Amino acid sequence: MTTDTTASRVHFENVSKFYGDVLGVNRVNLSIPPGITGLVGPNGSGKTTLMNMMVGLIQPSRGRISVLGITPGQPEELFRKVGYASQYDAFPPGLTGYQFIESYLRVHGFSAREAEAMAWKAIERVGLVEPAKRKVAGYSKGMRQRIRLAQALAHEPAVMVLDEPLNGLDPMARAEAIDLFRELADGGLHVIVSSHILHEVDLISDQVVLINGGYIVAEGDIGDVRDEMEEEHPVQVLVRCDRPSLLASKVFEQDHVVEARILDKGQGLLVRTRDADKFHLVLNDIVMETGIAVEAVAPADADVNAVYQYLIGSNGGKL
Amino acid sequence: MSDLTATTVPGARAGLPWGQWWSQLRAIVRLELRKGFRRSFGLLLLALMPPFIAAMHMIKAVRDTSDIAGATQVFAGLIYQAFTLRIVIFLACVLIFGNLIRRETLDRSLHYYFLSPVRRELLVVAKYVTGLIVSFGLFGTTTVLAFVLTYLPYDSTAVSQFLFHGPGLGHLASYLLVTFLACLGYGAVFLFFGFFFKSPAMPALVVFGWEGIHFLLPPLLKEISVIHYLQSLCPVPVSEGPLAMLSDAPAPWVSIVGLCALAVVLVAVSAWKIRRMEITYEEA
Ligand SMILES: Nc1ncnc2c1ncn2[C@@H]1O[C@H](COP(=O)(O)OP(=O)(O)O)[C@@H](O)[C@H]1O
Ligand SMILES: [Mg+2]
């Protein structure tokens, strides 16, 4: 690779991380360009591990990482360029939202006046001006999520790393956060956003990285990834319900459904579909229409398809 | 959009960015003071104890208000060395310095520092400096207060004679120096142990025991204790009882340089440890 791309990308080169004997991530190779990148995988798949390594909170057991050409071992350079909102929903005690942002800007080395201006600008961006003078301890989950977002972007970094930033936001705040990511990305930033729900980030991402069990399963343009996975491997979905034959007749009307098989004991239906997202939508409609009692919907394969199904399934995130 | 950043980016002058480090150190100290020590009732209680003992002694002193020499002995032995130095300042250092890093792993906020463009070594130094400011601020005051209370009930002309024409103020200055060096030394010890033990209680107990039996130790072993050097700087010698192993007290400059060197080494090792520290918050 040229130094040119190194200087504008986030690079993982054969990176592995073991926590003792526990695998965090294995043999990760990534080169992330600017724009919004969705890092998607179920809980425990290694998203936080990857992100924490990117910013030096933990060190890789093997391999190399660089962010815009800077290694995580150079905090003085790295954190002028990088803002990180971790998944830890924790704050230094006793501070107001404003003090929280302002204090760490001072730690950056900004003067009192600069820090004040930048803190208010960041607080405004996440829409927390009104509660900014109150103690963070009294914030709602969504407010805490947003004040951490403000903390990550207050020093105007070129790379934003956000670990599950949409978690705990109500739909309104979520839409605002997404608009903010878009705005930042359009300004040429890297915005790397993790989520355990694919459909939460797929529409806003310029590229996605799918991770499962510590391995990168797929990466690239979201459309390509989705097409490739679905064209080649219809996914199986197991639906536990009453009246499976009624459900089977209904789902067969859908052209993305390849197969629908009633389970031996009649306690459910096994569906193969090329478009799991659409299937889930249709399933909802059918349930509304017929009143079929659905007990559970789950991916049925043990392989990569199942993972992908899990990832894209509209129920995937509800653990 | 990063024009603000540009104004403060280090390295405008050649060499190390001392100006940058200095302002970061001040910012960390400010933040630490803001969030860490405002409601430490334990510390306040500890700080109030020596003046309290001194006040108790006042009651006894009323009987003979001319015995300044007796008061000096009581302050030197009971109030300062036995109580303030060996118990109060010691425990305070465990509380303050043992928790500098630990408290933040427990409340899961250490990563905010690790995500700032600050050298981790600087973070350790700044936290240590905060500990020094808090501990010396508190226990320097305590030392002065206890000193004043001890002599308060005595005949005022005799006391002013002792203070301004005798060794009195010199004593106080020495006690303040010892208090400062105690914070420096014990502070560094417990900052250091914070990187090797999950809880400061165990190492604190061991060090407490070691420092406690110090007077029984042979000369060579005495030299590996903090109290040995602090004691030698105390202005009024105190008898350690019939079991004590006698040894030559180190020269004052040896004690001062020795304690400073100990602090530098322990803080340096801590700074080296924190470079490899990982944020998992798992074992917390
Ligand atoms: N501190 C740790 N100690 C041991 N195992 C860990 C630790 N942190 C993460 N893991 C393990 O590493 C794997 C990846 O975890 P993580 O990166 O937190 O996943 P995600 O963020 O996608 O939920 C999981 O199996 C998890 O149990
Ligand atoms: Mg995670």
Side-chain angles (χ1 to χ4, degrees):
Chain A
M1 78 203 61
T2 65
T3 44
D4 214 40
T5 61
T6 308
S8 67
R9 282 179 180 238
V10 178
H11 271 293
F12 284 78
E13 206 181 309
N14 209 19
V15 172
S16 300
K17 173 69 181 178
F18 296 89
Y19 299 98
D21 291 338
V22 181
L23 172 68
V25 296
N26 204 9
R27 296 173 184 277
V28 172
N29 287 289
L30 283 174
S31 176
I32 303 173
I36 300 182
T37 300
L39 176 58
V40 184
N43 285 327
S45 58
K47 303 181 296 293
T48 299
T49 300
L50 273 187
M51 289 184 152
N52 281 354
M53 283 193 291
M54 224 183 279
V55 294
L57 289 185
I58 56 176
Q59 280 113 36
S61 312
R62 248 180 270 129
R64 276 188 310 198
I65 298 167
S66 72
V67 179
L68 310 189
I70 307 164
T71 69
Q74 307 167 268
E76 284 179 303
E77 291 80 26
L78 185 72
F79 294 113
R80 304 217 172 271
K81 295 278 173 63
V82 176
Y84 181 43
S86 78
Q87 71 177 1
Y88 307 115
D89 186 18
F91 297 87
L95 302 183
T96 67
Y98 169 75
Q99 286 172 336
F100 169 56
I101 312 269
E102 190 262 0
S103 300
Y104 285 100
L105 284 169
R106 297 293 296 278
V107 173
H108 271 249
F110 294 106
S111 73
R113 197 136 47 86
E114 289 168 333
E116 187 182 346
M118 294 164 87
W120 281 117
K121 190 172 163 197
I123 287 167
E124 230 163 84
R125 282 193 113 158
V126 299
L128 282 181
V129 172
E130 185 261 323
K133 294 272 183 185
R134 295 210 306 265
K135 292 267 160 84
V136 175
Y139 283 15
S140 69
K141 176 136 200 252
M143 284 156 81
R144 295 201 301 272
Q145 187 72 274
R146 280 187 285 160
I147 200 75
R148 287 192 289 123
L149 188 59
Q151 203 268 330
L153 61 80
H155 59 289
E156 305 190 337
V159 179
M160 302 271 307
V161 185
L162 310 170
D163 199 354
E164 311 239 3
L166 300 174
N167 226 353
L169 295 187
D170 60 52
M172 176 85 163
R174 188 176 290 232
E176 282 167 12
I178 288 170
D179 285 348
L180 180 59
F181 302 159
R182 191 71 265 166
E183 193 186 313
L184 293 168
D186 289 346
L189 269 68
H190 287 73
V191 182
I192 303 172
V193 178
S194 76
S195 174
H196 57 271
I197 307 167
L198 181 66
H199 69 224
E200 185 175 83
V201 291
D202 62 354
L203 292 178
I204 60 163
S205 296
D206 300 310
Q207 57 266 338
V208 289
V209 176
L210 300 182
I211 182 170
N212 187 54
Y215 290 85
I216 303 295
V217 182
E219 65 165 304
D221 173 77
I222 177 68
D224 295 349
V225 170
R226 186 183 285 264
D227 290 350
E228 179 189 325
M229 299 293 285
E230 287 176 356
E231 299 283 300
E232 290 174 19
H233 322 272
V235 289
Q236 298 195 36
V237 187
L238 186 68
V239 183
R240 287 192 176 282
C241 60
D242 63 354
R243 290 180 281 163
S245 48
L246 174 59
L247 181 61
S249 69
K250 289 283 180 189
V251 299
F252 253 132
E253 294 164 9
Q254 303 295 319
D255 55 9
H256 54 86
V257 173
V258 184
E259 185 188 348
R261 190 153 42 88
I262 296 167
L263 298 179
D264 288 347
K265 290 175 187 156
Q267 75 277 52
L269 194 67
L270 190 65
V271 180
R272 281 160 58 79
T273 167
R274 292 187 192 283
D275 190 336
D277 257 3
K278 223 179 242 167
F279 172 72
H280 280 97
L281 289 175
V282 165
L283 181 62
N284 280 343
D285 291 344
I286 295 173
V287 168
M288 297 280 271
E289 183 193 316
T290 61
I292 292 175
V294 173
E295 196 183 311
V297 182
D301 294 336
D303 59 3
V304 172
N305 299 337
V307 172
Y308 191 65
Q309 160 57 28
Y310 171 84
L311 292 175
I312 66 171
S314 20
N315 266 1
K318 302 209 177 88
L319 290 178
Chain B
M1 70 185 289
S2 52
D3 51 332
L4 278 176
T5 323
T7 58
T8 47
V9 155
R13 277 171 296 150
L16 295 173
W18 289 105
Q20 164 86 9
W21 290 344
W22 175 238
S23 68
Q24 289 186 328
L25 184 128
R26 286 201 332 250
I28 295 171
V29 169
R30 169 175 173 261
L31 178 53
E32 288 290 295
L33 290 175
R34 205 176 221 189
K35 71 194 164 106
F37 297 97
R38 273 193 303 190
R39 263 170 270 161
S40 302
F41 291 115
L43 281 181
L44 208 60
L45 209 65
L46 277 175
L48 286 176
M49 282 174 88
F52 178 72
I53 303 278
M56 296 304 290
H57 171 70
M58 276 167 95
I59 298 162
K60 218 177 95 197
V62 191
R63 268 185 277 140
D64 180 4
T65 59
S66 63
D67 186 16
I68 299 279
T72 301
Q73 275 303 322
V74 168
F75 185 80
L78 176 75
I79 300 177
Y80 192 75
Q81 278 214 30
F83 200 70
T84 311
L85 187 58
R86 283 165 183 267
I87 298 178
V88 168
I89 296 181
F90 181 91
L91 283 180
C93 285
V94 175
L95 279 181
I96 296 173
F97 293 89
N99 281 317
L100 282 175
I101 302 289
R102 190 179 109 95
R103 190 186 320 103
E104 288 204 319
T105 27
L106 288 182
D107 70 25
R108 300 181 167 221
S109 65
L110 185 59
H111 64 280
Y112 291 113
Y113 278 129
F114 281 15
L115 297 171
S116 301
V118 175
R119 278 176 178 257
R120 293 197 186 171
E121 297 91 324
L122 181 71
L123 176 63
V124 165
V125 172
K127 278 182 166 278
Y128 179 66
V129 168
T130 312
L132 280 182
I133 291 172
V134 171
S135 56
F136 185 65
L138 217 48
F139 296 98
T141 311
T142 284
T143 304
V144 173
L145 216 60
F147 189 84
V148 169
L149 284 178
T150 306
Y151 290 101
L152 199 61
Y154 290 89
D155 178 63
S156 61
T157 44
V159 170
S160 75
Q161 176 71 22
F162 166 72
L163 282 181
F164 303 111
H165 304 285
L169 281 185
H171 284 186
L172 182 59
S174 300
Y175 286 124
L176 281 174
L177 176 70
V178 175
T179 297
F180 179 73
L181 290 172
C183 296
L184 194 85
Y186 287 127
V189 167
F190 292 112
L191 173 75
F192 170 83
F193 279 136
F195 286 95
F196 295 90
F197 296 88
K198 279 177 192 168
S199 150
M202 263 319 282
L205 219 62
V206 171
V207 178
F208 189 76
W210 177 260
E211 302 277 297
I213 59 162
H214 160 267
F215 68 98
L216 295 172
L217 298 173
L220 201 66
L221 287 181
K222 273 191 204 286
E223 284 171 20
I224 26 179
S225 73
V226 174
I227 197 74
H228 180 63
Y229 302 95
L230 294 176
Q231 221 171 27
S232 77
L233 290 167
C234 287
V236 179
V238 174
S239 160
E240 292 182 301
L243 291 176
M245 293 281 290
L246 293 178
S247 75
D248 290 334
W253 73 267
V254 172
S255 296
I256 295 173
V257 172
L259 286 168
C260 290
L262 173 80
V264 168
V265 168
L266 293 181
V267 172
V269 176
S270 304
W272 173 77
K273 274 299 272 189
I274 203 173
R275 275 198 70 94
R276 299 215 53 80
M277 185 169 171
E278 296 198 326
I279 295 280
T280 60
Y281 294 145
E282 222 56 15
E283 62 264 281

